[in-house]
Amino acid sequence: MPVALHWLLPLSILLGVWSVPIDHNVKQQEAVPPQEPKQEESVDTGLYYDRYLREVIEVLETDPHFREKLQSANTEDIKNGRLSKELDLVGHNVRTRLDELKRQEVSRLRMLLKAKMDSTNSHNMQMDHASLLKQFEHLDPHNQNTFEAKDLELLISTATKDLESYDAERHEEFKRYEMLKEHERREYLKSLDEEKREKEEKRLEELKEKHRQHPKVNAPGSVAQLREVWEETDGLDPQEFNPKTFFKLHDTNGDGVLDEQELEALFTKELEKVYDPRNEEDDMMEMEEERLRMREHVMQNVDANHDRLVTLEEFLKSTEKKEFNNPKEWETLDNTKPVYSEAELQKFEAELREKELELGRRAASLRHQQELLKERGKALEAERKEYQQAVMEMSQRQKDTQAQAAEGQPPTGPNNELQFQEGLKKLEEGANPPLPQDVGGEAKNNLPVEPPQNLPLHTL
């Protein structure tokens, strides 16, 4: 991978690997069978668009013209956007793949926005994707379908800015970790009675003192520290130490520079003097903070152009400095001031108490909702049983009715009473048959008719 590719974004942290110093045994003369090259494992940059960033780089790397421009580009060419203009000259298939990557990224961001809106109970609000996408600075939100030079320029500038603040965020995260640890220690001691508290305080102080009793730590980047790696890790004669050879040995990916991961790998021996994961008194989170401090120290003294990469020229110049041969003794975290003040700790504890109260309120609300759901569940269960009982009774009545009809018995009512209405109706119809009708529709009666009243006996 060419050096200029690392400049693209603007450090090898984007394309680097977690490098482990290789072990060279000069005394071993036996031929070693060739091994298949291992695939480099990329380090996650921690950026929310990390995958998109890597995929864009991989696609651009396949174009011969753009790759050639990368090899001859410098930092200013990349940062000022001149390199982005070369995008117009890449092959059609490369542009097509970049367009697809951008559409996928836009789709992913839309899903993130929708999830955020859903979590804030804003389901009924109409989402304006074009406006909301403006908050993402690593692509052009006005053009959501094609990857243009502006997209590459935005991707480079945003990654540069975000990575510059990455170390500061790591320090802040460690500070909060340390304050939380101290808060828990104090709360634990408060929970003990006086006698147990004194014993525990004594035990914790002994652990701290035990942690301080470690071998001397060489200043990172000093001749003593590099010679130690040369001898113990590389297996070479310390008297034959050569800075140029050392640089090439630890440029593990062969790109001509030492990136941040390759530098941090050089500090492993020094860190092992202070931290052991098997010891109760050693905190591995502190070890990673120590590693970060060492890398920043080296970058500050070696990385002349502050591009977060160490070239061979910069490395050789640093070996000529007075600090290289006569450095100050390195002070580990246990010998420095706390990373937080008492005021910061009190503010942090106040925030924790507020969060605990809020969690308590939410827990109480959830418990109340749970009780309501239980009561509702009981009511629904009772209704279900009532409906089930009614269905069973109705089914049984239907069976009884069918059985009685088969036996010629009159049907029964809801309370098993006999129902004679239909039978009585039939009897009434039999006792009082309908009167016959004459042609005019009047009823005929065969019984003698009474003479009319108040009529004269004789008629003239």
Side-chain angles (χ1 to χ4, degrees), residues 165-180 285 289 292 296 339-341 344-345 347-348 351:
S165 61
Y166 183 65
D167 289 347
E169 292 176 359
R170 285 180 61 183
H171 286 307
E172 185 63 26
E173 182 180 352
F174 176 73
K175 178 192 289 188
R176 294 183 67 85
Y177 168 78
E178 287 289 288
M179 289 191 292
L180 179 60
M285 286 289 289
E289 175 70 7
L292 175 58
E296 289 178 332
V339 294
Y340 58 87
S341 64
E344 288 175 321
L345 178 59
K347 181 179 179 181
F348 176 76
E351 293 175 358

Side-chain angles (χ1 to χ4, degrees), residues 273 381 425:
K273 297 176 182 178
E381 180 65 17
K425 183 178 181 181

Side-chain angles (χ1 to χ4, degrees), residues 86-140:
E86 298 294 333
L87 189 67
D88 295 332
L89 303 178
V90 302
H92 175 71
N93 61 327
V94 173
R95 293 299 297 268
T96 302
R97 291 168 63 187
L98 290 174
D99 291 346
E100 180 60 26
L101 287 177
K102 182 175 180 181
R103 285 192 290 268
Q104 292 176 3
E105 179 68 1
V106 170
S107 177
R108 184 184 73 89
L109 295 176
R110 285 177 174 174
M111 291 179 62
L112 290 176
L113 289 170
K114 183 179 184 303
K116 183 178 181 181
M117 298 285 283
D118 291 344
S119 65
T120 55
N121 298 322
S122 303
H123 308 284
N124 298 326
M125 294 179 60
Q126 187 174 2
M127 187 179 299
D128 184 359
H129 286 104
S131 298
L132 293 174
L133 284 172
K134 293 180 181 179
Q135 62 186 290
F136 302 109
E137 300 177 349
H138 64 287
L139 49 72
D140 181 8

Side-chain angles (χ1 to χ4, degrees), residues 49-110:
Y49 49 91
D50 176 81
R51 181 176 177 178
Y52 173 65
L53 181 67
R54 294 177 185 281
E55 289 176 342
V56 168
I57 294 173
E58 290 173 1
V59 171
L60 288 172
E61 199 179 4
T62 62
D63 185 82
H65 172 78
F66 201 87
R67 190 181 184 92
E68 181 181 353
K69 290 297 180 181
L70 281 173
Q71 292 176 348
S72 59
N74 54 39
T75 310
E76 292 303 320
D77 290 336
I78 295 173
K79 289 186 176 181
N80 60 23
R82 282 198 292 268
L83 184 65
S84 303
K85 297 177 182 178
E86 298 294 333
L87 189 67
D88 295 332
L89 303 178
V90 302
H92 175 71
N93 61 327
V94 173
R95 293 299 297 268
T96 302
R97 291 168 63 187
L98 290 174
D99 291 346
E100 180 60 26
L101 287 177
K102 182 175 180 181
R103 285 192 290 268
Q104 292 176 3
E105 179 68 1
V106 170
S107 177
R108 184 184 73 89
L109 295 176
R110 285 177 174 174

